[in-house]
Amino acid sequence: TRKSITGLVFYFAGAAIYYKTKFQNNISHSSTEAEFIAACDAGKAALYLRSIFDDIGVPQHEATIILEDNTCALMMANAKQPTRRTKHMDVRYFAIQDWAEEDLLLLEQIGTTNNNADSFTKALPRTLFYKHCLATQQKVIRLYNPCH
């Protein structure tokens, strides 16, 4: 298929608490467009998780950090409006700009070799794949210690 794959993972207290992999609904014209759409999906998931944490009495007072490895997608998300090269994209994806402006989300750069969500979206060299798998599945911090 020519559709891009969105992959994302969220951590809380060092443990992966939410992950998602899915084909995007449309065919992207570039990797930047596909990454921007994935960042918007990550933003929606972050807002959903923020509401759950708020409901259980653990409100988040600072912006949720979304890590993005595509520099151009990061620049698009931090821009104040669509450019002439992005006018063909559906307006709903630009909601991420509003969320960033409202300080609900903070988009930051991450190197591709450190992007754990890459293991959900593409074939990786074995060592990098195992590195990401360990980071997403076995990075658990003990929050409760009955001995103390």
Side-chain angles (χ1 to χ4, degrees):
T1 180
R2 294 175 51 210
K3 292 184 178 181
S4 297
I5 300 173
T6 292
L8 51 104
V9 60
F10 283 91
Y11 296 94
F12 181 74
I17 59 166
Y18 180 95
Y19 66 91
K20 176 180 175 181
T21 300
K22 75 168 198 148
F23 280 105
Q24 293 180 357
N25 294 332
N26 55 351
I27 296 172
S28 298
H29 295 199
S30 67
S31 60
T32 296
E33 183 178 341
E35 291 274 358
F36 184 74
I37 292 169
C40 185
D41 279 352
K44 288 189 282 188
L47 295 179
Y48 170 70
L49 291 171
R50 287 174 67 101
S51 71
I52 289 175
F53 283 124
D54 195 45
D55 287 347
I56 63 172
V58 186
Q60 187 174 0
H61 301 291
E62 296 181 12
T64 302
I65 297 172
I66 305 287
L67 299 174
E68 173 61 56
D69 62 359
N70 185 296
T71 305
C72 293
L74 192 63
M75 289 170 48
M76 282 174 55
N78 290 324
K80 299 296 181 201
Q81 63 186 11
T83 65
R84 66 178 176 82
R85 291 187 176 195
T86 60
K87 288 188 178 187
H88 68 280
M89 292 175 61
D90 196 333
V91 144
R92 68 180 169 191
Y93 299 121
F94 290 92
I96 195 167
Q97 294 171 334
D98 296 332
W99 300 330
E101 196 170 300
E102 294 169 14
D103 290 328
L104 296 172
L105 302 177
L106 176 64
L107 284 91
E108 293 184 355
Q109 181 82 33
I110 187 170
T112 301
T113 57
N114 295 320
N115 187 355
N116 295 331
D118 273 358
S119 62
F120 299 127
T121 62
K122 61 184 94 167
L124 297 171
R126 183 180 303 225
T127 55
L128 189 56
F129 176 76
Y130 284 124
K131 174 187 169 188
H132 293 326
C133 284
L134 287 173
T136 55
Q137 296 175 3
Q138 298 176 13
K139 187 178 176 183
V140 179
I141 296 174
R142 187 176 217 161
L143 297 176
Y144 172 73
N145 188 345
C147 297
H148 292 103

